Amino acid sequence: MELIYKIEFNSTNFYYKHIIDDLIEQSGVNATTKFYEDLILLVCNDEAEKIESLFKILEQKLPLSIFLGESGVIEKFDFDSFKEIEDKDVKVNLALLTNDEIIKTIEENHIDFGNDLAVIKKGRVSRIDTHNGLKDFFMPSTKLREQFESNGYEVKLLITDINKISELFEISQKDLQLLCSIERPLVKLKFKLLKNANKEYSNTRFIYAKIPDDKETLLFANALKNEGINNILYAADDIYQDGLKVTYNDNQNIIIHGEKGLFPKYEYKLNRKVININDYFDEYGCVYKACIDQFYKKMTPTIGVYFSYKSDESAIKINLPNMGIKDVIHIPNVINCIDNCMEDIKSIDENTAKLVDNYKAKFPLYFEKEFRDTDSDGFESILNLLAYTLGMRDYKEFEDTALLYNAKSGIQIDMYVVKVDGKNYLDYRRIIQSIMSYKMAGVEDTMLAFSFYESLSSFIKDNVEKINSELKAKDLILCGDLFGNSILLSKIKKEITNLNILIPKEYPLDY
């Protein structure tokens, strides 16, 4: 009996094929795998009972992956029309912690973490040397967390007992699937209402969390679990590669940031080994251009929206064959100064001058604290100013506040295009001025923050449609880490139905 089973796999790294090959060998079934771009074929030629036994093994032991898509039996496949990918034997920084490997690692390794556990239980920091570098671990503590964050480190959560995760978080089945994927990504999780009451875990109701991703961390996590410690905070100050931050929409998993498990890799479109994420994107010159190549759209007119928190190159763009990329609407890089921001808003007209004065009089405490000038660019600088104006810490708190809004729609935030030196820019002044006006009227922060992303989606829709009235493109490419925001992405996909929306599958949205 011959059976062909198709597995959609949106990566050209070979580790998942190797896992399947090992399971085939264990089963003793006459079967092989063939690896194509975006596709793994499992070709079986054996008795029906043996093939059935193989699929039972795969069901029990084949791990999840963030790159998995749809799978199923197909009647036939034109092998002559497709060329298999050649294995270049490039080793990625990824420990393949299948369930069998986890059990074996714990059984065969006995490291004494007694000193580290004693330090942690006393409320201090323990420094552990992991496969990906040095990490500082500590029990949930507002004081320690804020110390690390004040020094520029992001504090994340290591889950040591996945079975206890629902005690702390409001978690979906999809969140669990991502956490347990073989790539071990970081997933943003939402605390239950009464948890994190003293902000000992996070400054907001959200935190990026993961389960152990290498041998050393696994053994340490197991020691913590045996002591009844189900989760622990950590900050990575001397690591080799940033972990993958992953989210999802209805159609696919989306890598927001990171490179661990992705690089180094052989990039077949470039016909060379790519060392890291900077090497990859720098080869193309910009993220949008790399996405054009990913989707084979070099010779097709496309519209691209590259909206990034940190980059100074955010813009609505177009790509014209034989002419290249052109920025149509820019996102300004504003001065990181709240006084300058307020003066910019005052300059709009006499009404906005009064608004600023009245706003400061009504919310004086917001302006008494020092504005944290992080020398940021693009959307981060705009949203840091906006967050400060609302009494928040930074753009991260602003985004997390938006995610707390529990209604389907908000209010319209003013978003206009202004021409400066012959170029079109998003008028950041109008955004902050509009939100200040609503705040003066008593609108809640959650609605204001949500409405920013909702209104930004409308801004994108309106301008993309205006551009495409002449361009007549069929494809819209979305890239940049701002699209890791589920509000913005879901609203755009709902509103823009006349274009084929393309979002990177194999690579991060940004770097």
Side-chain angles (χ1 to χ4, degrees):
M1 172 185 176
E2 183 179 76
L3 182 145
I4 303 175
Y5 192 79
K6 179 188 74 172
I7 302 171
E8 182 181 330
F9 191 71
N10 297 305
S11 172
T12 53
N13 278 328
F14 270 76
Y15 57 84
Y16 205 72
K17 177 185 184 299
H18 293 158
I19 293 174
I20 299 175
D21 288 340
D22 289 343
L23 293 175
I24 291 173
E25 185 176 352
Q26 292 177 27
S27 72
V29 176
N30 184 19
T32 58
T33 56
K34 295 181 178 294
F35 197 19
Y36 305 92
E37 186 175 340
D38 304 330
L39 185 66
I40 299 175
L41 286 186
L42 176 57
V43 183
C44 307
N45 197 342
D46 213 322
E47 298 174 3
E49 293 80 3
K50 288 188 176 182
I51 294 175
E52 184 178 350
S53 69
L54 169 61
F55 278 87
K56 285 183 179 179
I57 291 174
L58 292 174
E59 183 180 356
Q60 294 171 358
K61 296 188 175 184
L62 186 63
L64 297 168
S65 169
I66 62 174
F67 297 109
L68 281 176
E70 296 181 353
S71 60
V73 176
I74 56 176
E75 293 186 2
K76 59 182 179 179
F77 186 80
D78 188 357
F79 292 99
D80 294 332
S81 298
F82 293 84
K83 183 179 180 180
E84 286 188 73
I85 296 174
E86 179 184 355
D87 189 351
K88 301 293 185 176
D89 197 29
V90 177
K91 304 299 181 185
V92 296
N93 180 20
L94 184 66
L96 300 179
L97 293 178
T98 62
N99 288 339
D100 288 347
E101 187 62 28
I102 289 171
I103 294 171
K104 179 182 177 182
T105 299
I106 293 174
E107 288 179 347
E108 294 182 356
N109 295 271
H110 302 283
I111 300 176
D112 184 5
F113 288 103
N115 291 335
D116 299 289
L117 294 172
V119 168
I120 287 170
K121 287 180 177 180
K122 290 179 181 178
R124 302 204 303 266
V125 178
S126 180
R127 195 167 175 82
I128 304 293
D129 191 3
T130 73
H131 186 72
N132 194 39
L134 294 167
K135 296 179 182 178
D136 294 314
F137 291 88
F138 54 97
M139 294 292 288
S141 162
T142 306
K143 180 180 178 181
L144 288 175
R145 174 183 65 77
E146 290 181 344
Q147 284 178 358
F148 277 100
E149 290 175 346
S150 66
N151 290 321
Y153 299 113
E154 182 181 8
V155 174
K156 309 180 191 76
L157 187 78
L158 177 69
I159 300 164
T160 64
D161 190 346
I162 194 70
N163 295 316
K164 301 289 181 65
I165 191 172
S166 60
E167 296 177 2
L168 190 61
F169 296 107
E170 298 177 6
I171 192 163
S172 68
Q173 185 63 32
K174 184 63 178 180
D175 292 328
L176 278 173
Q177 291 173 352
L178 287 178
L179 285 168
C180 296
S181 297
I182 194 67
E183 294 83 10
R184 298 294 192 262
L186 288 153
V187 181
K188 182 180 278 193
L189 301 181
K190 181 181 179 182
F191 290 102
K192 287 188 170 180
L193 184 59
L194 300 180
K195 302 298 181 180
N196 193 38
N198 298 317
K199 297 188 175 181
E200 63 271 32
Y201 288 93
S202 170
N203 189 53
T204 71
R205 279 189 63 190
F206 296 87
I207 193 171
Y208 273 104
K210 71 183 307 176
I211 64 175
D213 60 354
D214 58 37
K215 172 184 172 181
E216 295 83 3
T217 309
L218 172 64
L219 295 171
F220 180 53
N222 187 61
L224 290 166
K225 176 183 173 182
N226 291 337
E227 293 292 317
I229 301 173
N230 301 327
N231 49 74
I232 192 167
L233 296 178
Y234 74 94
D237 67 345
D238 188 15
I239 58 171
Y240 309 128
Q241 291 182 308
D242 288 334
L244 302 182
K245 289 182 176 178
V246 174
T247 186
Y248 58 91
N249 62 16
D250 293 338
N251 302 317
Q252 70 178 75
N253 297 327
I254 300 168
I255 305 171
I256 304 171
H257 266 297
E259 61 180 353
K260 187 176 182 294
L262 292 183
F263 300 98
K265 68 172 297 183
Y266 192 87
E267 175 48 60
Y268 294 87
K269 293 183 180 68
L270 298 175
N271 197 29
R272 71 173 179 87
K273 180 179 178 180
V274 177
I275 303 301
N276 53 40
I277 192 169
N278 288 339
D279 183 18
Y280 175 72
F281 282 120
D282 288 349
E283 172 74 26
Y284 290 96
C286 71
V287 176
Y288 175 46
K289 193 172 182 180
C291 292
I292 291 170
D293 200 33
Q294 290 171 31
F295 294 114
Y296 296 99
K297 298 296 179 180
K298 283 184 178 180
M299 302 311 296
T300 306
T302 60
I303 303 174
V305 183
Y306 174 62
F307 278 5
S308 169
Y309 277 119
K310 295 184 178 296
S311 174
D312 60 0
E313 297 180 356
S314 291
I316 297 179
K317 305 166 179 279
I318 59 172
N319 177 61
L320 297 171
N322 303 319
M323 294 183 66
I325 295 171
K326 177 184 177 182
D327 290 350
V328 181
I329 300 175
H330 302 259
I331 305 304
N333 293 307
V334 301
I335 298 172
N336 289 275
C337 173
I338 191 64
D339 292 333
N340 186 81
C341 173
M342 292 298 109
E343 290 302 317
D344 278 352
I345 293 172
K346 283 184 176 183
S347 70
I348 297 174
D349 57 42
E350 62 180 23
N351 292 324
T352 57
K354 292 178 181 178
L355 171 65
V356 170
D357 292 337
N358 292 336
Y359 191 91
K360 286 185 174 182
K362 187 171 183 177
F363 304 105
L365 293 179
Y366 294 172
F367 296 87
E368 288 179 3
K369 65 183 185 299
E370 182 181 357
F371 177 75
R372 296 171 65 242
D373 180 1
T374 56
D375 192 28
S376 53
D377 294 315
F379 275 105
E380 182 180 351
S381 58
I382 294 171
L383 292 184
N384 278 343
L385 291 166
L386 179 52
Y388 179 91
T389 305
L390 292 173
M392 300 178 194
R393 184 175 181 175
D394 55 19
Y395 77 99
K396 293 180 181 178
E397 183 176 353
F398 181 85
E399 180 180 29
D400 287 353
T401 300
L403 296 173
L404 292 176
Y405 187 64
N406 56 12
K408 292 184 178 180
S409 62
I411 52 181
Q412 183 62 46
I413 305 300
D414 292 341
M415 294 197 181
Y416 300 117
V417 173
V418 60
K419 193 174 286 290
V420 180
D421 296 331
K423 294 182 179 180
N424 296 317
Y425 287 90
L426 172 64
D427 191 345
Y428 94 101
R429 305 170 305 166
R430 291 287 189 179
I431 296 173
I432 299 179
Q433 171 254 317
S434 178
I435 288 179
M436 288 170 65
S437 297
Y438 283 120
K439 179 73 173 178
M440 288 286 287
V443 178
E444 294 292 328
D445 288 350
T446 53
M447 178 182 276
L448 292 174
F450 173 91
S451 299
F452 165 81
Y453 292 99
E454 182 181 51
S455 298
L456 187 61
S457 72
S458 298
F459 175 82
I460 292 171
K461 172 183 178 292
D462 292 344
N463 284 281
V464 164
E465 288 181 348
K466 188 181 298 183
I467 293 167
N468 207 37
S469 63
E470 297 182 12
L471 188 64
K472 308 298 182 184
K474 296 181 179 179
D475 302 299
L476 171 64
I477 294 176
L478 303 180
C479 50
D481 58 358
L482 206 67
F483 290 106
N485 181 281
S486 58
I487 302 165
L488 179 62
L489 190 56
S490 63
K491 292 290 182 182
I492 287 177
K493 291 181 72 68
K494 183 179 180 180
E495 291 189 6
I496 301 178
T497 58
N498 58 339
L499 286 168
N500 180 30
I501 296 178
L502 302 173
I503 305 168
K505 294 182 178 181
E506 184 173 0
Y507 294 101
L509 290 172
D510 217 339
Y511 73 124

